[in-house]
């Protein structure tokens, strides 16, 4: 396996755009990534498209990648559609990495797309998203994502003393960060009081502690390290790209996640670094409690101290380890299949020093994490990608 | 890239089993493949699951692979779900091949699943399958799969003099072959007259010229060639595994397919052989005309002579080149995501001399072809896999 660089990234603004077709969002993201890389569409040798639920949303059950890429003139190459729930985009990134790292191709494209408002109803979109759990078991129990995360929050509070204020401060931080990101969906700062008094979704999680329903696309161009120098003076190297699934155990403590601990360990080992070497992390904060639990699971802070870290500002911009400078899912939005690729774009911008007002100064190493799928059984998919500038 | 062998295959019987869960079908196929390989589930290091439309059929929009593999105890490894319409299973096979050929993993599993009757209605299943076309364009025009293939048949008849009898003889041949395959859905021989007098679906294609709605799963274990000798004395080598997408051109002649010609050329070049070296071919005969057109596109017979080849028995068992000894999609059935993996299983059985009553004697080299997706624009996915015994 040889070293791989990311040489171009692009994304649409995330938000609610029911009038825009998924193919149009894909085109915009891909074109931006291609222009950023300074290449032609004809230079792309293989492509992967991450998407989770568009089949149920629009009836386009198949070949979304081929349809979107045709719009940019990317045809006649291997294109494969990838689904791993909320880790669809990051799993697609990983397949693109394997394709280049293997030596089979020199230049790969990854695209992530989701258009959650295209269903025309919140109910239909919610039903499609609930299909990320194990429908035959969890679906019948009513174990939707907000309800499971609410139970996890309650358990985390009971076990570690995590407070409502700490939960709310995740949203306060991420919405503040998102105001510095023009691609972010929720463009407003909020107070702890505003977060806690927003509409209750699943006790204790209020509306502003839940990632919004979003549309959007993101893309990245990957290239062998040896060829990257022909395109950029700032190649960003893929130091680790890990995907794993859980080890089914219904007796497991729900305030931790074995799959995330394992994925993180593998990624740090592969990259040859530790959490202390990170300059920033994009962590899958689908709910406020998710960011707290996940910075613990990923080893970014000690077990049970996620709430304290947030409250003490250690994960803020300028803190010990800025988490979700992009605004994360809570602010930027969560167009499921696009999310993992957008995280990659965010890391690349920081590692190049191009992240604008939210730039983490001197950032050299960043981590991106996604988890998705089967909830209680922990058999979904978790990805951890570590990039070096 | 190093050489890769298939060391185990398995499949369920294909048919209509609305009472059987997709996860149960997956478990059966995987367990058979694992037993066939003589390995333990714990030996699998990475897995790919091909599926096309289960999200729309059952609401299980995500992580079907993780859910099915959990049933066999395959957890804690990278699992990725792959969709490329009718080429979903074969595209998943190709990702597994890349994963092993790259040196990243020594042992990979590919699983294909589809449970088309689980929707509970033919209408819902038909709508889900129509999502393999470009829904925004072709869907609105009513360009369903049977209607497009009917137009292709008419054009092929006008251009090359292909006859109704020749079309019917594809079904006669494949249903005859299927009677020798215990996993095949349509277990009866038919006459040309019976084929032509069966219910008209899309003129000139009658019911018995259309692949049936099917449920089923298939699996294969891939291993590096150097390690394969530890498991089997009859490793089957992946001589070529090609995936490509079309080059969009609405002015193109519809009785040929540029994507299939190109995929086939790449595969033969990679394998270092020509069509004359094949002992058998499993070709994506979703409709009778599809087999005729595709043996032409793949270079297995000269352009325009597909009908004559069928009529003269050249593609029968014992003929110049047996095509679809398994019974093909027309007899065996077409559980979309499983089809491409089942083709691999069929080739492996022949190349090992284990294909029972339908064995192609002394078979050394076989080809498997799948095409799926966007119809008129030719931007779907085509795979060609060549295996050597």
């Amino acid at each position: 396996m040889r070293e791989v660089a990311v040489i171009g990234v692009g994304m649409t603004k995330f938000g609610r755009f029911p009038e825009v077709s998924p193919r149009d969002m894909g085109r915009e993201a891909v074109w931006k990534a291609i222009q950023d890389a300074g290449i032609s569409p004809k230079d792309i040798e293989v492509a992967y498209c991450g998407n989770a639920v568009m089949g149920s949303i629009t009836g386009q059950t198949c070949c979304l990648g081929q349809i979107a890429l045709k719009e940019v003139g990317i045809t006649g190459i291997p294109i494969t559609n990838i689904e791993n729930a909320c880790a669809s985009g990051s799993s697609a990134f990983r397949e693109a990495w394997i394709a280049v790292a293997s030596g089979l191709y020199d230049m790969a494209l990854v695209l992530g797309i989701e258009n959650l408002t295209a269903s025309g109803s919140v109910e239909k979109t919610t039903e499609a998203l609930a299909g990320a759990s194990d429908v035959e078991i969890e679906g019948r129990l009513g174990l939707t994502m907000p309800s499971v995360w609410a139970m996890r929050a309650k358990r985390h509070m009971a076990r570690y003393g995590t407070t409502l204020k700490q939960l709310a401060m995740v949203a306060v931080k991420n919405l503040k960060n998102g105001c510095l990101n023009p691609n972010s969906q929720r463009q407003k700062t909020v107070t702890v009081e505003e977060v806690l008094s927003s509409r209750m979704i699943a006790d204790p999680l209020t509306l502003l502690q839940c990632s919004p329903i979003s549309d959007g696309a993101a893309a990245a161009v990957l290239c062998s390290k040896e060829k990257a120098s022909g395109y950029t003076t700032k190649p960003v190297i893929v130091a680790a790209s890990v995907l794993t699934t859980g080890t089914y155990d219904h007796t497991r403590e729900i305030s931790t996640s074995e799959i995330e601990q394992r994925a993180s360990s593998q990624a740090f080992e592969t990259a040859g670094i530790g959490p202390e070497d990170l300059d920033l992390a994009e962590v899958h904060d689908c709910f406020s409690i998710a960011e707290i639990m996940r910075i613990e699971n990923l080893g970014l802070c000690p077990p049970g101290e996620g709430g304290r870290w947030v409250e003490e500002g250690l994960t803020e911009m300028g803190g010990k380890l800025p988490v979700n400078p992009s605004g994360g899912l809570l602010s930027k939005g969560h167009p499921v299949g696009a999310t993992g690729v957008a995280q990659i774009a965010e890391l690349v911008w920081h590692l190049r020093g191009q992240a604008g007002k939210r730039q983490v100064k001197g950032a050299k190493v960043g981590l991106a994490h996604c988890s998705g799928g089967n909830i209680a059984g922990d058999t979904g998919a978790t990805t951890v990608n570590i990039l070096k500038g």
Side-chain angles (χ1 to χ4, degrees), chain A:
Chain A
M1 306 296 283
R2 59 182 179 169
E3 284 202 284
V4 176
V6 181
I7 62 166
V9 292
M11 67 181 284
T12 65
K13 177 172 168 53
F14 285 0
R16 296 192 179 212
F17 310 108
E19 73 286 2
V20 183
S21 163
R23 74 179 73 209
D24 291 331
M25 292 188 181
R27 178 176 54 202
E28 180 184 335
V30 170
W31 196 246
K32 284 178 172 174
I34 280 177
Q35 287 186 306
D36 186 44
I39 62 169
S40 151
K42 301 295 179 203
D43 294 325
I44 301 293
E45 298 170 344
V46 64
Y48 293 88
C49 179
N51 174 259
V53 298
M54 289 308 292
S56 295
I57 295 277
T58 66
Q60 186 66 60
T61 53
C62 300
C63 293
L64 183 62
Q66 284 86 347
I67 290 168
L69 292 174
K70 174 194 72 185
E71 301 281 328
V72 201
I74 297 178
T75 61
I77 62 167
I79 299 175
T80 303
N81 296 283
I82 303 288
E83 180 276 306
N84 260 347
C86 292
S88 294
S90 51
S91 293
F93 174 80
R94 185 169 181 274
E95 290 304 305
W97 168 72
I98 294 173
V100 176
S102 70
L104 195 56
Y105 302 100
D106 286 326
M107 188 89 75
L109 177 82
V110 57
L111 167 64
I113 306 181
E114 209 81 54
N115 202 331
L116 294 179
T117 68
S119 69
S121 83
V122 173
E123 291 73 18
K124 196 172 171 186
T125 296
T126 301
E127 186 181 355
L129 292 172
S133 69
D134 186 333
V135 169
E136 282 186 57
I137 299 172
E138 296 168 327
R140 287 178 186 162
L141 292 173
L143 275 175
T144 62
M145 300 294 168
S147 60
V148 167
W149 282 103
M151 289 193 290
R152 286 182 163 160
K154 291 275 191 185
R155 177 66 185 145
H156 204 274
M157 292 165 80
R159 190 178 183 196
Y160 296 118
T162 303
T163 65
L164 290 177
K165 181 184 175 192
Q166 290 169 347
L167 289 175
M169 286 185 76
V170 175
V172 170
K173 167 179 72 71
N174 289 355
L175 268 69
K176 182 180 173 191
N177 291 352
C179 287
L180 303 177
N181 181 356
N183 291 320
S184 186
Q185 181 168 354
R186 283 173 166 159
Q187 292 278 351
K188 62 170 184 177
T189 58
V190 291
T191 64
V192 167
E193 293 67 32
E194 285 171 326
V195 172
L196 293 178
S197 64
S198 64
R199 183 157 59 92
M200 184 60 72
I201 300 299
D203 186 14
L205 303 176
T206 55
L207 182 66
L208 290 171
Q209 295 178 64
C210 305
S211 54
I213 288 177
S214 313
D215 307 318
V221 177
L222 293 80
C223 177
S224 62
K225 186 186 174 188
E226 60 258 44
K227 292 215 171 178
S229 59
Y231 297 98
T232 177
T233 56
K234 294 181 178 178
V236 171
I237 302 299
V238 183
S241 186
V242 167
L243 163 70
T244 191
T245 190
T247 51
Y248 203 62
D249 180 0
H250 270 294
T251 67
R252 185 172 295 139
E253 167 62 46
I254 65 167
S255 65
T256 64
S257 169
E258 182 273 340
I259 180 175
E260 290 170 358
Q261 293 165 350
R262 187 159 35 81
S264 174
S265 297
Q266 289 178 14
F268 283 122
E269 185 182 341
T270 302
I273 62 168
E276 66 280 3
D277 297 311
L278 295 179
D279 297 305
L280 75 156
E282 288 283 310
V283 174
H284 203 81
D285 59 324
C286 43
F287 299 93
S288 56
I289 181 63
E291 182 172 306
I292 289 176
M293 277 182 53
R294 285 167 168 168
I295 60 174
E296 297 174 10
N297 294 330
L298 297 170
L300 309 186
C301 77
E305 296 195 16
R308 182 179 70 78
W309 270 47
V310 172
E311 188 167 11
E312 294 182 1
L314 301 177
T315 56
E316 280 182 15
M317 300 299 292
K320 182 179 172 71
L321 176 64
V323 173
N324 287 321
S326 72
L329 284 58
L330 285 174
S331 174
K332 192 173 56 183
H334 185 24
V336 184
T339 288
V341 186
Q343 286 182 335
I344 297 293
E346 182 72 10
L347 293 189
V348 167
W349 286 321
H350 283 277
L351 299 175
R352 284 181 184 163
Q354 298 174 340
K357 294 179 181 175
R358 65 190 186 283
Q359 176 70 42
V360 173
K361 285 181 186 166
K364 299 291 182 197
V365 186
L367 175 149
H369 154 266
C370 288
S371 285
N374 183 291
I375 310 164
D378 207 12
T379 55
T382 288
T383 55
V384 175
N385 286 294
I386 296 176
L387 304 188
K388 288 185 179 177

